[in-house]
Amino acid sequence: MNRVVRHALPLVMAGALLAGCSSGESDEDGKVEAGHTHALGQGHTSMAVGDGTRVSEVGYSLAGLQVREQPDGVGELRFRIDDHEGEPVIDYVEELSKELHLYVVNDDLTVFRHLHPTRDEDGTWSAPFDVPDAGGYRVVTEFVAVDEGGNGDHVVLGRPLALPPGDPGDTAAEDRAISVFVSEAPTVGPDGELRLVVRDAAHRPVELGTYLGAYAHVTGFHRETGAMVHLHPLGPPEVTEAGSELTFHAEIPDPGDYRLFAQVRVDGFLHTVPVELTVEPSA
């Protein structure tokens, strides 16, 4: 595969589940990871390249994107990740327990899906999905591909997707069981810190489980550019009178308004809660 130039850019991606609803996922992941870890033997993994706004980065491309309707009415996304020679990538490193993370988000940031597709032997990825509304969306993939030197190339790619009208089916009601709010906002730059507080409907702290090896996953999008930021807490929550507080290292390159989707597991259920965030320029 291609030799990829290393860029120290922040990780950016797009997310999962209808904003503000809970999923029926109830399995616990067990091991908790403080950040991204990869098993590459003697190889190394690059810093993430891309923010989900481009279809190609450093020789990799999001190709062959198709939407198919299944007999049960649920849609299916199919796509490939091609290398610089146009060949499908089939050698990946698991990142947060998955070879590839797929995000689907609509243009006004009211619908968000975080999916984990399966890969065929020919390198084609597929995932069932459903969204409540037609219109403009963006599909974002995050993966670590193994290059010809045995190193991991961490890449985030995105492509717009127009979904035609169809049967919207049932939409989930707003999740009021869990709330998340910002207690400390980061500023632009490599040393920002974000603090989020999670609590129940009675404003009490909650006991957080893990999802994909972390106490929370936060995927955010710049409201103007669509650029994505992806954050994980530095450690377990701190229980305070305000709730269960999580601290994130936030390396955010651009100021402005973001919509975050915080994914937390409480009482065995995965909740996805939208959070508004304004990032100010550094002093």
Side-chain angles (χ1 to χ4, degrees), residues 123-207:
T124 299
W125 293 91
S126 61
F129 82 107
D130 68 307
V131 294
D133 301 302
Y137 287 78
R138 177 165 292 276
V139 174
V140 180
T141 61
E142 183 200 12
F143 57 89
V144 179
V146 180
D147 68 15
E148 59 189 6
N151 296 307
D153 297 329
H154 195 161
V155 184
V156 182
L157 304 175
R159 181 184 284 273
L161 175 68
L163 294 178
D167 180 7
D170 296 328
T171 59
E174 183 179 354
D175 182 357
R176 298 183 182 274
I178 299 297
S179 63
V180 181
F181 67 89
V182 177
S183 60
E184 181 179 335
T187 56
V188 167
D191 299 318
E193 184 173 276
L194 169 69
R195 291 181 181 267
L196 296 180
V197 174
V198 186
R199 59 191 186 185
D200 64 14
H203 296 180
R204 297 171 301 194
V206 297
E207 184 175 348

Side-chain angles (χ1 to χ4, degrees), residues 45-90:
T45 298
S46 70
M47 296 292 290
V49 177
D51 63 2
T53 61
R54 293 170 55 87
V55 68
S56 297
E57 293 280 4
V58 291
Y60 295 96
S61 298
L62 173 54
L65 181 63
Q66 302 177 37
V67 177
R68 297 182 179 181
E69 184 174 345
Q70 302 302 298
D72 59 3
V74 175
E76 181 188 57
L77 282 173
R78 296 178 64 85
F79 61 93
R80 303 185 316 274
I81 302 298
D82 287 351
D83 64 17
H84 72 295
E85 295 180 341
E87 296 295 326
V89 177
I90 58 173

